[in-house]
Amino acid sequence: MEDSKFAVYSFIACILFLGVNGESPYRFFTLKVTHGDIYPLGVKQKGILINGQFPGPTIDAVTNDNLIIHVYNYLNVPFLISWNGVQQRRNSWQDGVLGTNCPIRPGKNFTYVLQVKDQIGTFFYFPSLLFHKAAGGYGSIRIWSRPKIPVPFPTPAGDFTVLAGDWYKRNHYVLRRYLESGHSLPFPDGLVINGRGWNGYTFTVDPGRTYRFRVSNVGISTSINFRIQSHKLKLIEVEGSHTIQNTYHSFDIHLGQSYSFLVTADQASQDYYVVATSRFTPRVLTTTAILHYSNSSKGVSGPIPWAPTFQIAPSLMQARSIRWNLTASGPRPNPQGSYHYGMIAPSRTIMLANSAPYINGKQRYAVNGVSYVPPDTPLKLADYFKIRGVFNLGSIPTRPPSGNNAYLQTSVMAADFREYVEIVFQNWENTVQSWHIDGYSFFVVGMDGGQWTPDSRRSYNLRDAVSRCTTQVYPRSWTAIYMALDNVGMWNIRSENWARQYLGQQFYLRVYSPANSWRDEYPIPKHALLCGRARGRRTRPL
């Protein structure tokens, strides 16, 4: 890439934000995206590397930092990168999904300019285009509290990242062709921890000291259970929320979810298994890493600790035990000026039901009977430039239809800025669903089996439900959330099962403010990529 172009993009990025975020520090990152040989399960594959690494480098930031991230695409295909859990306040222009951004063409670059506004916690980035997520290209995001803001636990002796998930020996473009030909994905070949298979990664600890483990499920199809042999997991944070510090022997982590645990090295000095196994699968997949005591001369031994496999009840009970720490300092969601989310009456209820229809003889996945089809122009650009024919508001109903018919559509749901909504995810399938909402955190107020009804509200937790950005829905069950629509933009709501997302189980929520003010939403970036029917148009004066 030309140095002059790099300098221009850096300058534009800084100018864009100096006026509104000038008091917050800037952090600069360069991510170079290439293909390379990787061996996660001992088989040579064509993977996606970030700066020559798999997984990619960790992005570290402090609350309210401005991140200037230069992404260079050295692949021979278009590429996009997204930031799972980073809310992009007033700034869906930087979300990095196909509904908001044009892909970065081969040999080109793009500079993401974003702020981790009022956020802390554990998140990750990943490639969002062309099923690239099955080839790697992901890495951790750690957002630290400001130094003077106390956290509700002593400073750990170390901070470890655990990026775990399922893996396929087939290359990602082969898996993509499976889907595009109308077939379901095969069963995964295994699990990986930090890009490696069985005993392929080591975490070194000193006896008697306590460490933070940030665990994210970056897989594409499978929930996992995480545990460490003979050690306890003290939960401290869920996707940006400090939690009541319950202790667990093992913990279920569903697709796209992130958790932080404190682990104390309080056992005899030897090596122990760090274990991930698949949950709710017909065949249990297992992989391990090593917890190595620094003074240990004894390797791992004994059986791998047991964890539940098919049982849903213990997972549901565990999920309900996650509670928000109401006394902790730090950034908090603040719906309509009140921290008491349970005292606000939702303005409407949206019910979302997933399904797996066949349309035109091919396997598809749908939300409320609509299977999403990507448009030829990003929705955000079409909305900004008022390009007709790209999408229609109301192209997806706010409740499931009564029949079983499903159809293809570029589905966009309308919503108003500052609405306070109840969203119910209803799952009548026999698989665990995992749902993510870009641009927001939401309160998980309830989950249970069967059909949701208005009477289900009696079981809601309206006091200390955790605020997060990804939630599971168990088989033949429902999950309910409360969410303040306080972030203007075009936001992706999707399945974190990547085959389901790729074949239509997603849509966009257009949160609209008529004010057309920088107070509500940042203007289109001067250097925004333009494609489709937006190609050749002007962004705005500098």
Side-chain angles (χ1 to χ4, degrees), residues 15 37 96 107 132 176 219 304 351 359-360 365 385 392 455 461 468 473 518:
I15 290 297
D37 293 338
H132 284 152
R176 189 175 75 242
I304 292 174
M351 181 172 286
I359 301 176
N360 299 328
Y365 298 98
F385 289 117
N392 293 310
D455 284 344
N461 175 6
R468 61 185 313 168
V473 190
W518 284 32

Side-chain angles (χ1 to χ4, degrees), residues 98-99 352-353 359 364-380 389-398 407-415 435 490-494 500-501 503-510:
L98 197 54
L352 304 175
I359 301 176
R364 296 288 300 187
Y365 298 98
V367 186
N368 288 0
V370 185
S371 186
Y372 181 82
V373 178
D376 60 8
T377 305
L379 303 170
K380 186 64 181 170
V390 176
F391 70 92
N392 293 310
L393 293 175
S395 47
I396 177 173
T398 57
Y407 57 93
L408 303 173
Q409 182 64 266
T410 301
S411 39
V412 180
M413 186 179 293
W435 288 90
M490 187 75 72
W491 301 110
N492 189 224
I493 299 181
R494 63 174 177 266
R500 299 184 77 102
Q501 179 270 353
L503 291 182
Q505 192 175 318
Q506 60 170 309
F507 68 97
Y508 282 80
L509 185 71
R510 178 187 183 252

Side-chain angles (χ1 to χ4, degrees), residues 395-429:
S395 47
I396 177 173
T398 57
R399 289 185 175 272
S402 56
N404 294 321
N405 293 331
Y407 57 93
L408 303 173
Q409 182 64 266
T410 301
S411 39
V412 180
M413 186 179 293
D416 292 329
F417 184 41
R418 294 201 173 98
E419 274 192 277
Y420 191 67
V421 298
E422 174 187 45
I423 299 178
V424 178
F425 298 101
Q426 181 70 59
N427 176 24
W428 284 118
E429 297 184 69

Side-chain angles (χ1 to χ4, degrees), residues 281-295:
T281 55
R283 178 165 57 88
V284 178
L285 301 173
T286 303
T287 195
T288 60
I290 301 297
L291 184 73
H292 170 68
Y293 278 56
S294 58
N295 62 343

